[in-house]
Amino acid sequence: MDLFVIYFTIFVLALFVGVEIINKVPPTLHTPLMSGTNAISGIVVVGAIISAGGGEQATGLSTFLGFLAIVLATVNIVAGFLVTDRMLNMFKRK
Amino acid sequence: MQAFVNFFYLAAAVLFILGIKGMTKPKTAVRGNQLSALGMGLAVLAALLDFHVVSYGTIIIGILAGGAAGVYMARKVQMTSVPEMVALLNGLGGGASLLVAAANYLESQQLSGMGQFDPTVEWSVAVILSILVGAVTLTGSLVAVGKLMGKVDDPKDIRNYKLGVKASFALLFVGTLTLVMGDTLNSGVLLTLMILLCLVLGVCLVMPIGGADMPVVVSLLNSYSGIAGAAAGFVLGNNGLIITGSLVGASGLILTSIMCKAMNRSLVNVLFGGSMAAAAGISKSENDAFYEGKVKFASADEVAMMLETAKRVVFVPGYGLAVAQAQHATRELASLLESAGAKVKYAIHPVAGRMPGHMNVLLAEAEVPYDQLVEMDTINPEFPQTDVAIVLGANDVVNPVAAKDKNSPIYGMPILEVYNARTVIVVKRGLSPGFAGIPNELFIRENTLMVPGDAKKVLQDVIKALREG
């Protein structure tokens, strides 16, 4: 099977998983949900690491762009998870 | 080894799903967030083990720099400013996707020169999509941050922006066709132009959207950042990225649709309808005439007297509470009333505040237990049995006109029916209209008392009066 078809299948199935679980998140937690998923979207750091890591396919410019991408994605990840943690620790039951 | 690395990505994706699942209950949410962070750690480890990576210096410097900035931001930010921070982080995520796609394009040029790579149509489309969505997310988020901080105003005339959007889309369509059909890997100049165009498009898309609609925009941009990540996954052929991007995309879309429903508006109307206030806005003299002689005012002492005998009290927080940083004073007053035997609840409208769930976080910061935060549909039937409802800096979400007047710009928007309470106390700086640009009928009702002033100051005065009384 064409690789693209496999990727696309995974994409669509993951969408359904996302809709199913996220619909169960109560409105009280919508802000932490957003900042948490936001941190998760920093996963693109994976691509950035591979680009910044050199290898025979790299050029000076591609390594530099990869480096910049690592910085941006890491800010996104670290700040996102930490601020979510800070918020969630405030939610207390009576 | 590469198969091993791919299992790491799968494990990371599973941890993200479990992590989000943890977010379905406040009790398990902290743990859920930790699971997600662990998943991210695994994914980074997997990337470092990838055979493409031969040098680590640049990577480590980048991670340290970004990590330090991230820790600083997360520690520094005030809970009232979380919407701005989330919007900014969204933008950075989008920017990262854009850079990754661009870097991958350059690498593919090299690989193709070595005869190791032949671009397919799907690959080309994925690169363009990743760049497009990433760039739009970057500049769109930055504009949203400006609007949330009050530094960027809603434009009076949105026609130029709409024209910009249409022109950008047309040009991008032509550019995409040229790129895909032509010599994809030797079109660096065209691709650069398209990136610039997408950066402009992001500005044109968000500029015309009114400040009141920012909860929708922030949710939507959150979704975009996920989709940009998924598109980068298609480019790199990385399942971990595809799954994760798609999860985040779904999350943003759901929140967007919840926000739209809570305002009874379609997404298209929010995105392209312009600012409500600009469309419906009334002049200051009309606004003054509406309230002239009909509003009853009360002092903090009088409010304190009324609260002394109240058995059931409901607080209704809005964005004004966040601006005045009044969450702690609110909690203090609530504790005082509870110790005097009153039942206290908080009524939360879905679009109160500047992002979904914003009020809940602010009140949680002031140590309000989350089981006292009640959603709109649950609290509305309770207002007739409520002795005193205290509206703190909320306006349009408590305007009864939304239920009656078909010509009103907010007609059909579900509201908190505070007017059913025996007495309504509205704490507000002045009588200026809310985001929708219309006067509020609640303020001239028989059972409403206005207390002019800053929410924090007024609450502190009430607390003082109660303690002395």
Side-chain angles (χ1 to χ4, degrees), chain B residues 11-36:
Chain B
V14 170
L15 283 170
F16 292 147
I17 293 172
L18 291 176
I20 299 177
K21 201 159 168 260
M23 291 269 195
T24 51
K25 287 191 202 84
K27 240 194 213 165
T28 53
V30 174
R31 177 104 202 166
N33 189 51
Q34 288 166 350
L35 284 180
S36 299

Side-chain angles (χ1 to χ4, degrees), chain B residues 125-199:
Chain B
V125 172
V127 167
I128 294 167
L129 207 65
S130 185
I131 285 176
L132 189 144
V133 185
V136 167
T137 312
L138 174 63
T139 50
S141 299
L142 293 180
V143 174
V145 172
K147 289 204 171 200
L148 287 166
M149 290 170 67
K151 297 226 167 96
V152 178
D153 289 327
D154 296 344
K156 289 237 155 26
D157 190 359
I158 61 169
R159 270 175 301 182
N160 285 339
Y161 293 106
K162 280 186 169 174
L163 194 69
V165 170
K166 282 179 199 153
S168 305
F169 269 117
L171 286 171
L172 284 172
F173 185 70
V174 176
T176 307
L177 276 184
T178 318
L179 209 65
V180 174
M181 298 303 166
D183 188 359
T184 310
L185 283 176
N186 290 310
S187 313
V189 177
L190 178 60
L191 196 64
T192 312
L193 287 176
M194 284 174 70
I195 292 176
L196 293 176
L197 196 60
C198 290
L199 292 173

Side-chain angles (χ1 to χ4, degrees), chain B residues 22 58 152 161 169 179 209 269 379 432 467:
Chain B
T58 333
V152 178
Y161 293 106
F169 269 117
L179 209 65
I209 303 174
N269 182 274
I379 197 86
S432 56
R467 290 227 164 102

